[in-house]
């Protein structure tokens, strides 16, 4: 489907995803330039079209943002690659978590490997550290930054000044590492 953005006369391809769990409309722009509109069941096309027209500047801004990083390093994705690299990723993640946790002394619950499209890692409220299987492709210094980032969420479950202070204790050049990690196509959060 295409949405015609009247003020700019620009057509943007998008797909619609219907969701039983969605409570409201949601628009997402991904690094591969795909635009996905998630709709709860029962929402009409006219309402969806109006929503997209209201968000056209935001969509264009994000599409342009991703075009800046067209030269990023990209990895193949999919179930086959996930199965191929999962065991290695588990080993790498657990080793790095143990290594960096000697510095911090936090109490992570579990270390999990996931097949995520938009994240390198996450930390759950239960203390589980989740990492993307693609961590096996990262250079050592970026892997260190990522693991430290998620470990620090065990103490500060946000991105406050205190959180970044914790990160800087082990990774003083964390800003450079964070920016460099963006060149690998997924964000850390």
């Amino acid at each position: 489907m295409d949405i015609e953005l009247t003020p700019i006369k620009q057509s943007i391809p998008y797909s619609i995803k219907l969701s039983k769990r969605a409570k409201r409309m949601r628009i997402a722009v991904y690094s591969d330039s795909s635009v996905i509109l998630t709709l709860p069941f029962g929402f009409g096309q006219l309402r969806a079209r109006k929503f997209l027209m209201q968000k056209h500047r935001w969509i264009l801004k994000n599409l342009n943002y991703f075009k800046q990083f067209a030269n990023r390093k990209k990895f193949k994705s999919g179930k086959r690659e996930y199965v191929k690299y999962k065991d290695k990723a588990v080993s790498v993640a657990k080793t790095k978590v143990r290594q960096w946790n000697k510095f911090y002394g936090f109490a992570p619950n579990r270390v999990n490997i996931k097949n995520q499209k938009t994240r390198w890692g996450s930390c759950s409220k239960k203390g589980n550290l989740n990492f993307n299987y693609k961590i096996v492709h990262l250079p050592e210094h970026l892997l260190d930054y990522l693991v430290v980032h998620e470990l620090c969420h065990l103490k500060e479950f946000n991105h406050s000044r205190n959180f970044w202070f914790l990160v800087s204790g082990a990774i003083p050049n964390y800003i450079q590492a964070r920016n460099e990690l963006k060149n690998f196509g997924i964000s850390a959060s």
Side-chain angles (χ1 to χ4, degrees):
M1 294 185 170
D2 282 348
I3 176 173
E4 291 296 327
L5 299 176
T6 315
I8 302 174
K9 303 276 191 238
Q10 183 174 355
S11 180
I12 298 175
Y14 69 96
S15 354
I16 293 179
K17 178 179 156 187
L18 295 175
S19 170
K20 291 179 182 176
R21 294 173 38 190
K23 302 226 185 311
R24 60 186 177 273
M25 288 184 277
R26 177 180 175 269
I27 189 82
V29 177
Y30 294 98
S31 60
D32 64 356
S33 296
S34 61
V35 178
I36 301 187
L37 175 64
T38 303
L39 297 174
F41 280 102
F43 274 63
Q45 288 228 347
L46 185 61
R47 196 169 171 189
R49 187 172 173 80
K50 184 178 177 183
F51 177 72
L52 284 167
M53 287 196 299
Q54 290 171 343
K55 298 292 183 185
H56 77 275
R57 285 194 179 124
W58 181 88
I59 295 167
L60 288 173
K61 177 183 161 199
N62 283 281
L63 286 171
N64 287 332
Y65 172 80
F66 286 121
K67 283 179 188 173
Q68 293 176 44
F69 299 103
N71 295 329
R72 288 178 169 197
K73 184 165 182 175
K74 294 184 177 140
F75 308 109
K76 285 186 178 180
S77 294
K79 190 172 184 174
R80 183 177 298 159
E81 283 75 22
Y82 173 69
V83 170
K84 180 178 177 181
Y85 292 111
K86 183 181 179 190
D87 290 339
K88 184 177 179 184
V90 167
S91 175
V92 165
K94 286 184 175 180
T95 299
K96 285 293 183 181
V97 167
R98 273 193 306 273
Q99 172 193 332
W100 284 108
N101 205 31
K102 287 178 185 174
F103 180 83
Y104 286 105
F106 297 145
N109 187 22
R110 286 194 314 239
V111 175
N112 301 309
I113 298 299
K114 297 190 172 197
N115 184 3
Q116 300 166 309
K117 286 186 179 182
T118 59
R119 292 182 171 208
W120 281 110
S122 63
C123 176
S124 75
K125 293 239 184 218
K126 293 180 180 178
N128 297 327
L129 300 179
N130 305 301
F131 296 99
N132 192 309
Y133 75 93
K134 294 176 188 173
I135 62 170
V136 298
H137 300 300
L138 289 176
E140 190 89 11
H141 70 287
L142 296 183
L143 180 58
D144 288 337
Y145 161 72
L146 178 64
V147 169
V148 166
H149 182 114
E150 299 310 333
L151 266 173
C152 288
H153 279 311
L154 294 171
K155 174 100 171 140
E156 291 287 333
F157 204 71
N158 54 48
H159 289 111
S160 66
R161 186 175 294 175
N162 290 340
F163 169 79
W164 292 113
F165 180 76
L166 278 173
V167 171
S168 71
I171 311 287
N173 64 339
Y174 72 89
I175 294 173
Q176 180 183 343
R178 183 176 65 186
N179 291 335
E180 195 177 336
L181 189 61
K182 290 177 184 176
N183 288 326
F184 284 84
I186 305 177
S187 64
S189 62

